[in-house]
Amino acid sequence: MPLDSSIYTLSALRLDGRRWNELRRINGQISTQQAADGSSYFEMGNTKIVCTVNGPQEQKRGGGRDQSNEAKVEVEIGIAGFSGVDRKRRMRNDKRIQEMQYTISSAFQNTLFTHLYPHSTIAINLHVLSQDGSLLAACLNACTLALIDAGIPMSDYIAACTTGSMASYADKEDEADPLLDLNGLEEQELPFLTVGTSGGEDKVSVLIMETRVQMARLEAMISVGLDGCKQIRSILDGIVRAHGKKVLESKVS
Amino acid sequence: MPREAEPSTNEQAFLLSALRENIRLDSRAFDAFRPIDLSFPGGPDEYGTAEVRIGKTRVLAKISAEVVAPYADRKFEGVFTIACELSPMGSAAFEVGRQDQSEILLSRLLEKTIRRSGALDTESLCIVAGSKCFHIRADIHVLDHDGNLMDASCLALVAALMHFRRPDVEIHGEEVTVFDVRERDPVRLAMQHQPFCVTTSYYDGGAIMLQDATLLEEQCRDGEIVISMNRFGEVCSIAKYGGTPVDGLSMLTCTNVALEKVKMLDKLVKDSLAADEKRRDAGGLMAELSAENDR
């Protein structure tokens, strides 16, 4: 087992030298692609994602059949073959990816003011260049930045991160510390969940967990996750403000 | 795609205003399930079919086994696949031969609940490492859709897996004999735990939470939280795909309610299995003929 929990308790440092409540280096850029209406590049440690947004625009297929008075959010995720450790062609109809697409689209469907754009679509394209854990969380954050760049009104940022729990077995209950923002190796070993918040005051918009964990651990994991989301939200806010400043300065001069 | 007709504005308003006065349209409590009926159709030699009715929702699960070669990267494990079929029989909104969004979500959720949580011990399905193993296939058929497909399908699948018996095998070196059901008593599958799904639908941004929503209630809801766990309180998966944001704390109350429901479902499956065994074992011969070892 690569994660030796005895080492962890001695120095209280993780594999990559972080403490339990530390995020990885987060870096984001806005307006990276000229062709798209909105775009962003987002890094969470070694997970790197390019996101482009097109729209709101007229629906491409099935014109006129759509009776709803809201814009539809369509998400497509492309995972590059070189993004993981082993080179693997992922099929487009992979169920795991389709589930992620659905998660992102339904999360933003409720955060964007879709009622302002009836009979139209907002197309989000995500390209995963490198993956090292927290994939869904990084995708959600990248989408938030790109949608802000596209100028689509939304009620709040969706900020997401992952949390894990040390020791996955019941006999080590006392060692069950929560961990914030897992990397790829930790994600393979430990039970973890992805939390996405929007609307402030600890409102959970997305919560996905796929690994088995004791019920008693959930509370600590969720509260650490909410705290992490708060940190990420302020980082995203910083990126947006810095970009806004730059745009304004270039307009003035 | 033929879309389900959305409920009229009047209907929606009626349902919501009733909920705000703590009344459900079918006069159940908010956390109450509709009557659940679990049966195991089939003759005395037929195992692994379970039919679940929750109210008007009806789901059939059928398990089958065959001997195949294992995957090259997993030589010591058998194969377990789950296939979901949403046919037009269940609802006019389902189409044949097209993977619809709800079908993908349903099969992903079952996969996460049963397969990823290791409910079925796939290593016990290995016959000869690297060359022969059992392929257990679970087919889920939705016969009638009146809401809460997740819980019903999961219940049917777990019950069918617990009911199923695979043919007994004997190994002499490389030679494998698979015995017919009439030659040797078939063997149960090794289940490590029994997870169940409990879906919570919420309204008014999480102020009203319902278990076991009917189709109409599902169409009016703000969002849903699907929690699957076993009776020991181990949560196997949580899925809240977007929807309106809810309070972080209410997620925890959801898991507490889910545990209570899971215990109820677990007991229901055990009781139904025991009743079914009694029915099949009319002459009391089964105990004598059993080839199963006590472990």
Side-chain angles (χ1 to χ4, degrees):
Chain A
M1 205 168 100
L3 281 179
D4 195 343
S5 41
S6 61
I7 291 180
Y8 170 76
T9 43
L10 274 179
S11 56
L13 290 177
R14 293 200 249 163
L15 273 183
D16 46 11
R18 286 182 288 154
R19 286 184 198 282
W20 64 273
N21 59 350
E22 282 177 341
L23 292 167
R24 289 175 287 177
R25 192 174 60 91
I26 291 176
N27 180 20
Q29 290 168 31
I30 293 184
S31 264
T32 48
Q33 259 69 22
Q34 276 308 309
D37 290 331
S39 57
S40 70
Y41 170 75
F42 191 76
E43 279 180 19
M44 240 172 139
N46 285 325
T47 303
K48 297 170 185 172
I49 288 166
V50 171
C51 176
T52 59
V53 171
N54 281 301
Q57 61 196 3
E58 201 179 335
Q59 263 164 340
K60 271 174 242 158
R61 49 201 140 141
R65 266 172 60 187
D66 176 53
Q67 300 297 314
S68 75
N69 290 317
E70 298 187 325
K72 252 173 71 185
V73 181
E74 283 178 0
V75 181
E76 211 147 294
I77 301 177
I79 295 191
F82 50 79
S83 64
V85 179
D86 45 348
R87 195 183 179 90
K88 199 161 39 175
R89 262 266 148 249
R90 269 195 193 282
M91 260 100 62
R92 200 160 281 253
N93 51 14
D94 185 334
K95 285 207 181 114
R96 200 175 75 93
I97 294 180
Q98 282 185 317
E99 191 191 27
M100 270 172 55
Q101 290 173 347
Y102 173 73
T103 310
I104 295 171
S105 101
S106 82
F108 280 103
Q109 191 91 51
N110 280 286
T111 312
L112 298 171
F113 291 152
T114 46
H115 61 273
L116 298 177
Y117 309 102
H119 315 297
S120 47
T121 36
I122 298 164
I124 302 176
N125 273 287
L126 286 151
H127 305 274
V128 180
L129 305 183
S130 157
Q131 34 178 342
D132 183 30
S134 310
L135 186 59
L136 177 61
C139 284
L140 283 164
N141 294 335
C143 287
T144 303
L145 290 182
L147 284 164
I148 288 172
D149 184 36
I152 300 167
M154 58 207 282
S155 54
D156 194 17
Y157 297 1
I158 290 188
C161 70
T162 53
T163 41
S165 180
M166 215 45 220
S168 49
Y169 304 102
D171 57 324
K172 294 186 196 156
E173 199 62 64
D174 49 328
E175 293 171 22
D177 295 330
L179 298 178
L180 184 62
D181 192 18
L182 305 194
N183 62 27
L185 268 176
E186 287 170 324
E187 224 168 60
Q188 278 173 11
E189 286 294 323
L190 303 174
F192 73 98
L193 51 82
T194 305
V195 214
T197 57
S198 81
E201 288 158 36
D202 298 346
K203 289 280 188 193
V204 178
S205 165
V206 178
L207 185 72
I208 306 277
M209 190 181 75
E210 305 192 342
T211 36
R212 194 147 50 121
V213 70
Q214 269 294 328
M215 205 171 100
R217 307 252 184 89
L218 273 181
E219 191 177 353
M221 284 166 79
I222 291 178
S223 62
V224 168
L226 290 174
D227 186 57
C229 288
K230 223 174 268 172
Q231 290 180 47
I232 288 189
R233 190 188 184 282
S234 68
I235 293 172
L236 293 181
D237 198 47
I239 294 169
V240 171
R241 279 172 200 279
H243 177 74
K245 212 173 195 179
K246 214 166 70 189
V247 170
L248 272 181
E249 276 166 6
S250 68
K251 287 274 154 55
V252 170
S253 58
Chain B
M1 192 183 94
R3 263 202 321 166
E4 191 107 36
E6 276 176 27
S8 64
T9 317
N10 274 345
E11 250 177 311
Q12 286 192 19
F14 178 57
L15 181 112
L16 285 175
S17 63
L19 284 180
R20 281 173 198 137
E21 287 171 34
N22 287 330
I23 298 168
R24 276 172 96 161
L25 295 193
D26 46 9
S27 72
R28 274 182 291 157
F30 277 8
D31 63 342
F33 269 63
R34 289 168 281 177
I36 305 175
D37 177 63
L38 173 60
S39 61
F40 302 96
D45 282 347
E46 265 185 77
Y47 291 104
T49 313
E51 193 189 319
V52 168
R53 292 174 200 231
I54 302 184
K56 281 183 184 159
T57 298
R58 223 173 128 191
V59 177
L60 184 92
K62 167 104 183 120
I63 314 286
S64 48
E66 57 176 339
V67 178
V68 294
Y71 292 127
D73 53 339
R74 289 162 186 268
K75 285 181 183 162
F76 304 101
E77 287 178 30
V79 185
F80 175 47
T81 50
I82 303 170
C84 296
E85 179 112 18
L86 301 185
S87 68
M89 197 193 336
S91 156
F94 300 148
E95 215 174 335
V96 193
R98 240 192 68 182
Q99 278 237 319
D100 155 61
Q101 191 76 264
S102 53
E103 189 172 344
I104 291 164
L105 293 182
L106 179 62
S107 63
R108 257 302 280 178
L109 257 154
L110 290 176
E111 199 131 297
K112 283 198 283 192
T113 309
I114 313 281
R115 231 158 67 118
R116 274 206 64 165
S117 73
L120 183 67
D121 180 20
T122 46
E123 280 183 21
S124 70
L125 300 174
C126 176
I127 304 170
V128 178
S131 68
K132 280 180 194 69
C133 70
F134 277 108
H135 176 183
I136 303 289
R137 185 188 156 89
D139 286 280
I140 312 278
H141 294 271
V142 174
L143 306 180
D144 208 345
H145 176 28
D146 187 27
N148 209 10
L149 273 188
M150 299 281 181
D151 301 11
S153 320
C154 190
L155 178 62
L157 179 55
V158 172
L161 280 172
M162 288 177 75
H163 188 255
F164 182 70
R165 280 125 206 248
R166 65 169 172 82
D168 198 15
V169 288
E170 203 170 76
I171 308 155
H172 289 292
E174 280 289 282
E175 204 172 292
V176 177
T177 326
V178 179
F179 293 101
D180 192 81
V181 182
R182 279 163 296 182
E183 286 177 294
R184 271 205 198 170
D185 209 33
V187 186
R188 276 174 215 273
L189 296 176
M191 296 280 282
Q192 283 167 337
H193 63 122
Q194 290 91 34
F196 295 95
C197 285
V198 176
T199 310
T200 307
S201 309
Y202 60 87
Y203 304 80
D204 281 351
I208 300 167
M209 298 235 177
L210 299 186
Q211 258 75 39
D212 188 29
T214 61
L215 187 59
L216 179 64
E217 285 167 340
E218 277 187 2
Q219 284 169 329
C220 298
R221 70 185 169 196
D222 283 355
E224 87 271 30
I225 304 163
V226 187
I227 296 173
S228 53
M229 62 198 302
N230 57 27
R231 80 190 131 117
F232 310 114
E234 284 176 316
V235 184
C236 301
S237 88
I238 302 180
K240 181 188 181 305
Y241 306 109
T244 327
V246 296
D247 215 41
L249 247 145
S250 56
M251 302 291 298
L252 295 171
T253 42
C254 272
T255 47
N256 286 329
V257 177
L259 179 62
E260 198 181 298
K261 295 293 158 203
V262 163
K263 282 183 177 157
M264 182 268 288
L265 291 172
D266 193 76
K267 190 169 172 304
L268 175 88
V269 170
K270 294 233 163 89
D271 290 349
S272 315
L273 278 171
D276 183 69
E277 199 134 308
K278 213 174 239 173
R279 182 177 67 87
R280 282 163 197 262
D281 186 23
L285 266 170
M286 265 349 232
E288 227 168 293
L289 292 174
S290 172
E292 204 174 351
N293 290 326
D294 284 331
R295 286 184 213 279

